[in-house]
């Protein structure tokens, strides 16, 4: 309506409408410079939509591919991790776990890293954070999640540590 540019996430498979609605509701409650901002969500005959601020930049996975030798300079990687810690601290304070922290979900914008893609995020203590099938990206997931353990802020912290490893070494950890 304002004429400004936005990012639009559209759900094509309506079997996942409940998960999409959870993402929209969780994100709409967040307001932090290191977390993508949801402006609105809606639906029409063609699907469900989440309208978000447009975060200009490239994801850290793309940065690693473009500039890694094999990893990014250590000071840069630490700075990106610090920015991500700010985002996760805020998200966790709001009782939300991201569940898919990885370089591809961190956009390097003009003012630093912005955490995006809360598609599998959940409220802490919700039914889907206890004993569920592992959700996320395997090379970045906390080991306890493979055994059906409880998702917690510590799971995101593990994923952030795996991300920092990836940014400095050039590839995800092997365990």
């Amino acid at each position: 309506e304002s004429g400004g540019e936005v990012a639009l996430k559209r759900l094509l498979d309506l079997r996942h409408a409940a998960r999409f609605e959870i993402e929209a509701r969780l994100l709409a409650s967040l307001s932090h410079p290191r977390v993508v901002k949801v402006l609105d969500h809606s639906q029409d005959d063609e699907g469900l939509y989440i309208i978000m601020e447009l975060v200009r930049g490239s994801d850290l996975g793309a940065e690693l591919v473009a500039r890694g030798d094999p990893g990014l300079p250590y000071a840069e990687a630490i700075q990106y991790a610090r920015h991500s810690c700010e985002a996760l601290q805020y998200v966790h304070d709001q009782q939300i776990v991201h569940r898919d922290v990885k370089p591809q979900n961190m956009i390097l914008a003009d003012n630093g890293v912005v955490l995006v893609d809360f598609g599998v995020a959940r409220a802490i203590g919700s039914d889907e954070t206890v004993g569920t099938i592992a959700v996320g990206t395997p090379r970045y997931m906390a080991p306890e999640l493979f055994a059906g353990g409880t998702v917690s802020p510590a799971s995101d912290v593990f994923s952030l540590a795996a991300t920092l490893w990836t940014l400095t070494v050039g590839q995800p950890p092997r365990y």
Side-chain angles (χ1 to χ4, degrees):
E1 293 176 3
S2 70
E5 292 184 86
V6 296
L8 187 68
K9 185 172 186 176
R10 178 177 165 210
L11 178 66
L12 298 174
D13 186 347
L14 294 180
R15 292 178 296 176
H16 303 291
R19 177 175 282 181
F20 199 75
E21 181 63 32
I22 290 169
E23 178 184 9
R25 192 176 71 248
L26 287 175
L27 274 174
S29 69
L30 301 179
S31 180
H32 190 277
R34 301 260 178 248
V35 177
V36 66
K37 179 73 177 150
V38 165
L39 304 172
D40 201 358
H41 63 282
S42 65
Q43 69 181 71
D44 63 17
D45 294 339
E46 301 201 18
L48 302 172
Y49 303 89
I50 298 176
I51 300 108
M52 297 169 279
E53 70 176 324
L54 178 61
V55 180
R56 294 192 185 278
S58 62
D59 69 69
L60 293 183
E63 288 291 317
L64 185 61
V65 169
R67 301 186 305 113
D69 189 24
L72 297 175
Y74 183 71
E76 274 185 52
I78 293 293
Q79 184 68 16
Y80 301 155
R82 287 184 64 233
H83 292 175
S84 301
C85 284
E86 292 172 20
L88 287 176
Q89 178 68 54
Y90 173 77
V91 168
H92 295 159
D93 285 350
Q94 306 311 305
Q95 301 299 300
I96 295 171
V97 286
H98 186 279
R99 300 201 314 172
D100 199 19
V101 175
K102 61 184 179 182
Q104 292 77 7
N105 288 340
M106 299 171 182
I107 303 295
L108 181 56
D110 290 339
N111 295 325
V113 172
V114 177
L115 186 62
V116 300
D117 196 354
F118 284 72
V120 294
R122 290 294 172 267
I124 295 171
S126 70
D127 291 342
E128 273 201 65
T129 62
V130 180
T132 59
I133 296 172
V135 174
T137 304
R139 300 280 297 273
Y140 297 95
M141 287 173 51
E144 67 271 13
L145 300 182
F146 289 106
T150 301
V151 175
S152 71
S155 309
D156 282 348
V157 171
F158 181 94
S159 298
L160 179 57
T163 295
L164 178 57
W165 173 277
T166 302
L167 295 176
T168 57
V169 174
Q171 59 185 326
R174 300 178 193 273
Y175 54 91

